[in-house]
Amino acid sequence: MVSKLNPYLGFGDNARPALEFYRDVFGGTLAVNTFGEFGDKESPGAELVMHGQLETPSGFTLMAADTPPGMEYQPGSSISISLSGDDAEELRGYWGKLTTSGVVTVPLEKQMWGDEFGMCRDKFGISWMVNIVASGN
């Protein structure tokens, strides 16, 4: 198996709806395991996501989990997920879905380096960068 770099997102208690949202954005197959599946099914937080993994038709892998019961959730602000390529239609489609109920921090538009680029925060507070490579680059 080839080594891959996969973003792994941590949530307080809403990893499942976040992963379902990303499945709606990117398509693909979502596998989710809860803390209860690997421990006490009656314990607090048993329904929370211990590990979720989305495999998309475009070859993306996105992983996520809720904060384990008993641990403090500390949302991070130093991570972004970058989507880039030359399929403008596909990337604009992702952008449109990610910005629905989200916040555009940099509009998706032509930049000084010739590509279209934009930044947003989705409705779960995750930062995204989208770069559409200009024809001929």
Side-chain angles (χ1 to χ4, degrees), residues 65-119:
D66 287 314
T67 303
M71 291 183 68
E72 182 181 343
Y73 175 60
Q74 296 180 3
S77 61
S78 61
I79 187 167
S80 294
I81 301 172
S82 176
L83 296 171
S84 60
D86 59 3
D87 189 332
E89 182 179 351
E90 179 182 43
L91 291 166
R92 284 190 192 105
Y94 296 150
W95 174 263
K97 292 176 182 178
L98 288 166
T99 57
T100 299
S101 300
V103 176
V104 173
T105 54
V106 174
L108 181 62
E109 57 191 19
K110 188 169 182 169
Q111 300 296 321
M112 67 179 99
W113 59 90
D115 295 350
E116 286 181 66
F117 176 83
M119 294 174 60

Side-chain angles (χ1 to χ4, degrees), residues 47-63:
E47 76 287 353
L48 296 176
V49 174
M50 186 179 91
H51 176 74
Q53 184 166 324
L54 176 64
E55 298 285 347
T56 75
S58 295
F60 305 151
T61 300
L62 185 62
M63 300 175 183

